[in-house]
Amino acid sequence: MRAQTVAGLDIGTTKTCAVVAACGPQGLEIIGVGEAPSAGMRRGVVTDLEETVRSIEAATERAERMAGVPISHVYVGVTGEHIQSTNNRGIVAVSGEEREVVAGDVKRVLDASKIINLAAERQIIHALPRHYTVDGHDGVTDPVGMSGGRLEVDTHIITGGATFIANVLKCVHRAGLEPAGLVFEPLASSAATLLPEEKVVGVVLLDIGGGTTDIAVYAGGGALHTGTIPVGGNILTNDIALGLKTNFAEAENVKRVYGTAAKTETDETSFSVKTLDGRNTRMVTTQELRAIIEPRIAELFRMVRAQIAEHVPRDQILGEVVLTGGGARLAGIDAAAAEIFALPTRIGYPATLAGLTEAVKQPEYATAVGLVLFGPKTENGTTNGVRRGIFGRVGAWLGELWN
Ligand SMILES: Nc1ncnc2c1ncn2[C@@H]1O[C@H](COP(=O)(O)OP(=O)(O)OP(=O)(O)O)[C@@H](O)[C@H]1O
Ligand SMILES: [Mg+2]
């Protein structure tokens, strides 16, 4: 029996994925993964409680079987249009007579930064420290032990609609699990795919799921902006079904096999597509398909670009775009992003954990893998709504390993 395990639960629009990791000799190691189709969740919002509970149960059972250990507590991914973010600042006087910053001061200043105008139905999910300032000297990453009288922190605050979150947690509870904490999904995807250096230089992570595209922008080592756009890969499937007059399943298949976000293709081919009733087929060219997909992808990236322009200072240098989520599997999507953002673009494959089987090293598992990495980190003074018991200590212990 392994002593310390940590589990993540990503309840998506198309799939639910549970990941279990244990502390092995080489650090955190994935020991179990389980996946199940999800039909009760749309764009981060529970639309069918029973369906969602069933999907969570199926995914966790599979992960438990593979890991050989029961899952009791899970870090739960959340997303959706109800999520909002803002940057804030907290200021406190350093308490000790020695005028030396101690851990308690850091906690107090983070708490001070959490004081924002919060509507009654909203809750803080994360208060992520970006950098500290000690007696006017900014850019401090860890102020503990430094001398000074005045401690300031710049934080990125992420809030969510309490009732939307309560419904997700209700499903988790009904599936027999205890939520250990909440994580806004693109932060998890980032933890699984981005290097610390990328977060320093400036990077845009886009997790293109079935129902939403989640955004996380990092610069100077911390999160500068996070957000979500209620458009994901499923809209392409919809467009293809309408455009080629076929059913959803056939459209999904066509998208995966022949779909491309490229504007031009050198070798055009044609392929057969089932008619709506599934009884006949007709020929379609890759050119026709591209004419459906390319404008949608361009539109999505322009929406992302507009959101970034609104929230990220114009003079902020960004070095790269990283794409995760199942939508990142579309052929040519990296080139399309590179063109619209005018930045080098790569696909984010989860790679920061040992024990990853080949099957999990795909962009659509970035969120689930990242939950076990980022979840415990949220425990240290920066958390988020869900209270914990025994697991809090385990989380803090795991958190220390990465801080
Ligand atoms: N090979 C592929 N080519 C194009 N699109 C793909 C491919 N594989 C998966 N997708 C798309 O990826 C999307 C699902 O991605 P993902 O599994 O990340 O979503 P999710 O986490 O369930 O949803 P969300 O994050 O929006 O709640 C679907 O729209 C699916 O059609
Ligand atoms: Mg997702």
Side-chain angles (χ1 to χ4, degrees), residues 54 70 81 164 183 203 378:
R54 264 199 296 278
E81 271 191 292
F164 294 105
V183 177
V203 59
T378 61

Side-chain angles (χ1 to χ4, degrees), residues 260-317:
T260 166
K263 269 195 186 135
T264 52
E265 186 75 57
T266 39
D267 45 343
E268 297 289 357
T269 53
S270 54
F271 51 92
S272 65
V273 175
K274 282 189 199 129
T275 52
L276 256 182
D277 62 5
R279 289 195 197 152
N280 296 302
T281 62
R282 67 180 195 91
M283 294 308 283
V284 172
T285 64
T286 46
Q287 199 172 0
E288 272 177 81
L289 184 59
R290 259 191 298 109
I292 297 170
I293 295 176
E294 190 272 329
R296 261 297 184 199
I297 290 292
E299 184 191 30
L300 168 63
F301 287 156
R302 282 195 206 103
M303 283 194 275
V304 173
R305 195 176 60 184
Q307 193 183 107
I308 292 172
E310 195 182 322
H311 292 98
V312 174
R314 235 166 226 285
D315 57 355
Q316 177 63 57
I317 293 168

Side-chain angles (χ1 to χ4, degrees), residues 10-17 35-36 38 41-45 79-80 185 207-214 229 231-237 248 251-257 259-260 293 324-331 333 363-367:
D10 171 20
I11 317 164
T13 302
T14 66
K15 61 155 196 333
T16 297
C17 186
E35 190 184 330
S38 164
M41 193 85 171
R42 216 174 295 151
R43 296 191 208 104
V45 174
T79 185
E185 289 172 13
D207 188 289
I208 309 168
T212 64
T213 294
D214 297 337
I229 284 175
V231 175
N234 285 359
I235 207 163
L236 290 178
T237 311
F248 202 77
E252 178 73 24
N253 185 44
V254 162
K255 175 175 83 171
R256 292 183 185 213
V257 178
T260 166
I293 295 176
T324 61
R329 286 223 195 193
L330 182 73
I333 196 159
E364 65 266 38
Y365 299 114
T367 308

